Amino acid sequence: MAKKRVKVDQGLCIGCGCCAGTYPDDFQIGDSGLAEVVTGEGEEEAVSVCPVGAISVEE
Ligand code: SF4
């Protein structure tokens, strides 16, 4: 599973923590209580763990 550039739309994120809980190397919950991408890259499958569609892959 190759990592791809991913981003979090913080306007959509509800801070549920699913992404950080499932992929702690790729996502963290920041001071704002919303998810941030740790390195700028993440597993493509992380898109499907977000219940509100806030995670997307940058092509
Ligand atoms: S799974 Fe989605 S809504 Fe939940 S913290 Fe991550 S980006 Fe935000």
Side-chain angles (χ1 to χ4, degrees), residues 7-54:
K7 61 182 177 183
V8 171
D9 183 337
Q10 294 196 332
L12 293 176
C13 176
I14 57 173
C16 71
C18 290
C19 56
T22 308
Y23 299 101
D25 293 341
D26 299 338
F27 299 92
Q28 65 186 10
I29 302 299
D31 292 340
S32 62
L34 302 175
E36 300 170 343
V37 181
V38 176
T39 65
E41 294 194 323
E43 295 294 345
E44 192 174 3
E45 288 76 8
V47 171
S48 64
V49 307
C50 180
V52 295

